[in-house]
Amino acid sequence: MSPSIHIHLTKYSYNLVYLNSLVQNQDMTSMAVSKVFSADQKLIDVINKTNIKYIGDSRIQNLIHMKTEKEKVLLRTPLLSEIVDVVKHVDISLNSEIEVIRALDKEAGKQNKKHQIILMFDIGDLREGIYYQSDYIPVVKQILELKNIEFSGIGTNLTCYGGVIPTFETLKKLENIKLDIEKTFAIPIKIISGGNSSSIKLVLDETMPTFINNHRIGEGYVLGRETAYGNHIESMHDDVFTLQAEIIELKEKPSMPEGLLGFDAFGKKVSFEDKGQMTRAILGVGRQDVHCEDLIAPKGIHVLGCSSDHLIVQIAGGKYKLGDTITFKLTYGGILSLMTSPYVRRVYET
Ligand SMILES: *Cc1c(COP(=O)(O)O)cnc(C)c1O
């Protein structure tokens, strides 16, 4: 059955061990982030065999079904409607709303548990977190008074919405918060979670500020790249996940549509360049599975476009026949959507 996503477990294992050892050598723990592959248990089992300390995911459903002895971390601030499951299935959650933290405390009391939180600070990227210039000390004071909540750390997330790159100056804002909280309440903060795959360059260059002791990594482990500048990390694998799709039509056709031109299947105005006759293949995969911009075509193949169920590519004439499959590398977005499409078969390789 096609399309299929091929998942190379040994390559993922290599990426985990390689990058995690760099992180550990710099006195940090790492958190492997599993949301891009919907916490597929075969990949969770690969993480389970490493000495990575935490597994993070943004969806409570993924954390519920995942089998692991690692500490489970909920990355997205808990929905007020999922507090019971969060307390039941998650060790640590990332938070930015005192109302949610109070709800966690109340539920943890009911379940006779302690729930750990990492308080998130927004230091400029404008996604989640308490804004660093706001008066956060009263919030921390209220958290410290809660009986069933353990204030385990602080964290920040960058290069997600605003594209802010983790520089020394930007991370200094998080350090100031750490020092301020530690001084005000005379407590050490256990976890300082400094960022995501956009901080990998600081690890490679050994310029990560020393106050940071935890690093959350999804894309870096999966695609072997850092996301601040988008560079590949030497010796890591960028093909843990690949897509195979089958040729269902193969014909010589012109490159220009013919007739009065209006809109495509998604209501977008179309425009074309005349490149003459070409060999065009249609593959049995479409936007219901993946956006064609998220496919990285092999040499000699050029993606022309896609609709819900058809991917149209230009290929060299005579090289392929009907029924052949073509293998694509994938972007992060491509892996995310293919791993969430029920139409895509998963094939595990070692
Ligand atoms: C998804 C996510 C990560 C991992 O990001 P990558 O860029 O894939 O490393 C880290 N932290 C939070 C809060 C996230 O939501």
Side-chain angles (χ1 to χ4, degrees):
M1 196 179 91
S2 176
S4 51
I5 185 160
H6 292 245
I7 306 167
H8 206 291
L9 300 173
T10 314
K11 287 182 180 176
Y12 186 55
S13 170
Y14 176 89
N15 281 359
L16 289 168
V17 171
Y18 180 85
L19 188 52
N20 181 51
S21 73
L22 295 182
V23 170
Q24 282 186 340
N25 285 343
Q26 293 175 42
D27 299 321
M28 286 181 283
T29 56
S30 92
M31 184 185 300
V33 174
S34 55
K35 66 190 183 206
V36 72
F37 52 81
S38 346
D40 181 302
Q41 188 59 39
K42 290 245 174 31
L43 290 156
I44 296 294
D45 287 340
V46 175
I47 303 171
N48 285 343
K49 292 204 191 83
T50 68
N51 59 7
I52 289 172
K53 190 162 178 198
Y54 307 94
I55 302 185
D57 203 295
S58 48
R59 303 277 171 156
I60 187 65
Q61 295 93 325
N62 289 347
L63 290 155
I64 290 173
H65 75 62
M66 143 191 329
K67 295 186 199 68
T68 184
E69 299 293 317
K70 308 280 186 196
E71 289 194 51
K72 290 186 182 182
V73 183
L74 178 63
L75 296 172
R76 187 174 66 182
T77 185
L79 277 56
L80 278 172
S81 55
E82 66 188 25
I83 297 292
V84 175
D85 280 334
V86 173
V87 171
K88 198 164 166 191
H89 298 282
V90 169
D91 301 298
I92 308 175
S93 59
L94 272 44
N95 282 269
S96 59
E97 290 285 1
I98 187 68
E99 196 184 335
V100 173
I101 299 168
R102 284 189 191 288
L104 288 166
D105 174 63
K106 204 167 145 211
E107 179 59 31
K110 277 194 206 153
Q111 294 187 26
N112 204 12
K113 270 185 157 177
K114 286 256 183 288
H115 183 76
Q116 300 180 55
I117 64 152
I118 291 178
L119 193 61
M120 295 300 279
F121 285 90
D122 179 351
I123 56 175
D125 197 58
L126 302 183
R127 204 179 76 175
E128 75 274 38
I130 298 175
Y131 194 58
Y132 77 104
Q133 285 182 333
S134 64
D135 191 10
Y136 51 81
I137 291 291
V139 179
V140 176
K141 182 165 184 289
Q142 290 176 62
I143 294 170
L144 292 173
E145 285 164 3
L146 297 172
K147 276 205 197 64
N148 310 302
I149 293 293
E150 203 176 305
F151 178 61
S152 294
I154 61 172
T156 196
N157 198 52
L158 291 164
T159 342
C160 259
Y161 174 75
V164 174
I165 289 176
T167 58
F168 189 82
E169 293 71 38
T170 293
L171 290 171
K172 186 79 192 153
K173 295 173 187 164
L174 187 67
E175 184 171 29
N176 289 340
I177 292 167
K178 167 192 173 338
L179 296 172
D180 190 18
I181 294 173
E182 289 187 334
K183 189 162 147 249
T184 308
F185 300 101
I187 49 162
I189 303 180
K190 198 170 80 182
I191 303 171
I192 314 287
S193 191
N196 53 38
S197 295
S198 70
S199 298
I200 292 174
K201 184 151 188 341
L202 301 177
V203 177
L204 299 174
D205 295 347
E206 304 191 12
T207 53
M208 184 72 92
T210 52
F211 76 95
I212 288 169
N213 63 16
N214 174 264
H215 194 170
R216 308 180 306 274
I217 306 176
E219 182 158 350
Y221 285 141
V222 159
L223 280 169
R225 70 196 283 272
E226 58 79 29
T227 57
Y229 305 93
N231 290 323
H232 176 69
I233 304 162
E234 219 178 286
S235 98
M236 289 185 74
H237 298 287
D238 63 357
D239 57 353
V240 172
F241 293 85
T242 51
L243 169 72
Q244 289 193 12
E246 192 176 324
I247 299 178
I248 59 173
E249 185 191 290
L250 183 63
K251 292 188 192 308
E252 290 285 317
K253 287 187 190 179
S255 47
M256 279 293 282
E258 204 178 305
L260 180 65
L261 300 188
F263 299 93
D264 70 7
F266 295 96
K268 287 227 175 74
K269 194 85 189 148
V270 293
S271 78
F272 293 92
E273 199 189 321
D274 194 351
K275 292 182 182 153
Q277 288 285 117
M278 53 170 68
T279 307
R280 299 166 73 99
I282 297 181
L283 309 183
V285 65
R287 266 171 65 163
Q288 198 148 39
D289 317 293
V290 67
H291 268 259
C292 46
E293 305 86 75
D294 287 320
L295 301 177
I296 302 160
K299 263 205 170 61
I301 293 189
H302 178 60
V303 173
L304 297 169
C306 56
S307 58
S308 304
D309 307 292
H310 299 77
L311 171 69
I312 308 160
V313 300
Q314 177 188 3
I315 60 177
K319 216 175 148 199
Y320 294 91
K321 61 178 192 313
L322 206 70
D324 281 353
T325 56
I326 296 179
T327 301
F328 296 85
K329 286 192 196 179
L330 298 160
T331 66
Y332 186 82
I335 298 168
L336 184 72
S337 65
L338 287 162
M339 290 300 282
T340 1
S341 171
Y343 303 102
V344 178
R345 187 169 57 109
R346 298 179 187 180
V347 180
Y348 302 94
E349 291 167 355
T350 50

